[in-house]
Amino acid sequence: MSSTDFTTDVTSVNGSADQPVFIPAPATPYQGDIARYWDHEARPVNLRLGDVDGLYHHHYGIGDVDRSALGDTGDDAYEKRLIAELHRLESAQAEMLLDHLGAIARDDTLVDAGCGRGGSMVMAHQRFGCKVEGLTLSAKQAEFGNQRALELGIEDSVRSRVCNMLAMPFETGQAAGSWNNESSMYVDLEDLMAEHSRVLSVGGRYVTITGCWNPRYGQPSKWVSQINAHFECNIHSRREYLRAMADNRLVPQAVVDLTPATLPYWELRATSSLVTGIEEAFINSYRDGSFQYVLIAADRV
């Protein structure tokens, strides 16, 4: 499949059982590359953690490790408990993001830009009872997320679709809240913040949790370069996020450094059977200060 031929007949993505789905081509060759990357991604670290309770995330975790829940490392069930603990930490990260959305009503609409397999969307609907729209470049991810929503009986409220987050299919001011959870490193920040600003109502809340390189370090470190290469992304600096928000009527209400809170997740993951080879880069960059894990919540004014 080339970057100019991006169609599918997967009816569960956006269509009905008797209506084929036609997905528009990505706007750029790079977007085609990203779509293919995530269409073929099936890492156990994403799938086995989701199997714990049916919430499939594509982000990392925060919080202290519960050593009592892990038990004896020599126990045959230790690895299963470790996976459950990693999943608890990644769900805690999603809960923190949702905490920062503020007051959301049942008749509101939320937007998950870069929704992955939809775990955070399910959590948002379960918490607020509202409609949640997810956007992803990956037809496989959208199909997976929509199938999960169907299995949970929330398909009328939670929907994933294949779409460019820089051209969201929503009316101006339609969303009460929106977020990027570790997905903003795939796009230009000025364009991204302009689009969130457009779809948010005045007073609406935008939240991002992301890894970013620390401007105080001077330039992206070798560890950050390794992370970019591993995920085929372009990590931005913290300063770039704040500048792009300021340029697009998004006023930060909270900036939270989550770096100390995410290190336990990475240190635990590095001891598991789910290692992907990128753990060292995350741990070393967080420790030397060249990379940060931050939450920024901003209001549309």
Side-chain angles (χ1 to χ4, degrees):
M1 182 175 64
S2 72
S3 61
T4 56
D5 180 17
F6 193 54
T7 61
T8 181
D9 59 2
V10 176
T11 57
S12 59
V13 174
N14 287 322
S16 61
D18 57 357
Q19 182 66 44
V21 177
F22 296 98
I23 299 172
T28 66
Y30 173 72
Q31 288 188 344
D33 289 343
I34 297 306
R36 285 188 290 275
Y37 177 94
W38 289 110
D39 276 343
H40 292 94
E41 183 277 333
R43 291 191 183 95
V45 74
N46 289 322
L47 296 172
R48 287 184 63 189
L49 270 63
D51 288 343
V52 171
D53 62 5
L55 291 171
Y56 292 85
H57 298 299
H58 278 276
H59 58 253
Y60 310 127
I62 59 171
D64 293 331
V65 173
D66 183 355
R67 297 291 172 182
S68 65
L70 294 176
D72 187 349
T73 57
D75 191 321
D76 290 343
Y78 176 77
E79 183 73 6
K80 181 178 180 180
R81 293 195 297 267
L82 185 151
I83 289 170
E85 182 64 5
L86 288 173
H87 182 62
R88 184 185 70 81
L89 296 176
E90 66 174 358
S91 289
Q93 188 260 34
E95 292 285 6
M96 174 171 278
L97 188 152
L98 298 179
D99 288 344
H100 281 80
L101 284 174
I104 301 296
R106 292 183 65 87
D107 59 353
D108 284 336
T109 296
L110 297 175
V111 176
D112 183 349
C115 62
R117 289 185 171 93
S120 296
M121 298 169 64
V122 173
M123 292 175 67
H125 174 72
Q126 290 174 340
R127 178 186 289 208
F128 301 116
C130 64
K131 185 176 183 180
V132 189
E133 296 275 3
L135 309 176
T136 174
L137 289 174
S138 168
K140 293 295 185 182
Q141 287 185 345
E143 180 186 11
F144 189 103
N146 285 332
Q147 181 60 36
R148 282 298 297 136
L150 184 65
E151 291 166 357
L152 294 169
I154 56 174
E155 70 275 12
D156 291 337
S157 299
V158 175
R159 175 174 59 168
S160 302
R161 58 175 118 182
V162 179
C163 183
N164 178 1
M165 69 174 76
L166 302 183
M168 301 185 197
F170 309 120
E171 296 178 5
T172 297
Q174 182 177 343
S178 63
W179 68 83
N180 286 98
N181 196 351
E182 297 181 16
S183 56
S184 54
M185 64 287 297
Y186 290 100
V187 293
D188 178 86
L189 286 183
E190 285 287 344
D191 293 341
L192 177 66
M193 297 307 166
E195 189 64 352
H196 278 288
S197 182
R198 183 188 69 80
V199 303
L200 281 170
S201 59
V202 174
R205 174 65 60 86
Y206 170 72
V207 181
T208 185
I209 295 182
T210 186
C212 57
W213 64 270
N214 187 351
R216 292 184 179 180
Y217 194 81
Q219 289 291 332
S221 68
K222 67 177 181 179
W223 306 117
V224 172
S225 297
Q226 287 182 22
I227 296 168
N228 277 334
H230 184 85
F231 293 106
E232 300 183 21
C233 64
N234 180 32
I235 292 166
H236 307 289
S237 72
R238 184 184 59 204
R239 181 181 297 145
E240 290 175 275
Y241 281 93
L242 296 174
R243 182 187 302 125
M245 289 179 184
D247 289 344
N248 290 285
R249 304 181 66 86
L250 294 169
V251 179
Q253 304 299 309
V255 180
V256 184
D257 183 358
L258 296 175
T259 308
T262 198
L263 257 174
Y265 165 89
W266 283 102
E267 291 166 345
L268 181 63
R269 174 168 150 174
T271 69
S272 76
S273 65
L274 304 177
V275 293
T276 62
I278 199 61
E279 288 78 12
E280 180 185 17
F282 276 92
I283 292 170
N284 287 335
S285 60
Y286 285 144
R287 286 176 177 170
D288 71 16
S290 63
F291 195 44
Q292 295 177 308
Y293 197 53
V294 300
L295 178 151
I296 306 173
D299 285 348
R300 169 65 164 89
V301 298

